[in-house]
Each structure stands twice: as C-alpha cells, then as structure tokens.
Amino acid sequence: GGASVYSQMLEYADNLYLTEIDASLDSADAYFPKIDYSNWDSELLGFNNDNGISYKHMLYKRKSNLF
C-alpha cells in the first residue's frame, strides 16, 4: 500500500510537501511514516479549516549535512 511506498522512499526525498490534518479518525488504517523533524527545516505554506477540521500545508526541507 501507499504507506510502505512512502516509508521506502523517504530516505531519497529532499523536500516533503505534506498536508497535516488536525483530526483523529478511528477508521484510518494507513499513515505517513514518522519522521525525525530535527533533520528537516519547516515552512508553513497555508492553513485552513473546512467543516470544523483544521489542516495546514507544510514544506519540509532536509537539512544539509555539510561538514
């Protein structure tokens, strides 16, 4: 399913465009993998509320490992 594809490809991504929904659904059976946010810079792209459910569009950019 989609969750396993995201998990397998996450290490290759430099940017993540995510919609984060402020709600819990008992019927949900697939989730985006947990990420270590300390490895990513975040930028809020937009925020909205539809039918009482808040959500935000986020851009996460992988931090450079320049040594």
Side-chain angles (χ1 to χ4, degrees):
S4 66
V5 172
Y6 290 133
S7 185
Q8 292 172 25
M9 299 306 293
L10 189 57
E11 68 180 281
Y12 302 104
D14 292 324
N15 297 312
L16 302 174
Y17 291 87
L18 302 179
T19 301
E20 297 178 350
I21 302 168
D22 187 22
S24 296
L25 299 173
D26 294 333
S27 61
D29 62 354
Y31 298 91
F32 194 79
K34 294 195 182 297
I35 62 172
D36 182 353
Y37 289 101
S38 68
N39 294 325
W40 301 84
D41 290 320
S42 64
E43 178 182 344
L44 176 64
L45 300 176
F47 178 83
N48 209 337
N49 186 308
D50 285 323
N51 297 318
I53 298 175
S54 299
Y55 59 93
K56 57 187 173 182
H57 300 286
M58 299 293 299
L59 168 58
Y60 292 95
K61 295 181 181 182
R62 188 182 298 275
K63 292 180 180 178
S64 298
N65 291 327
L66 301 176
F67 294 95

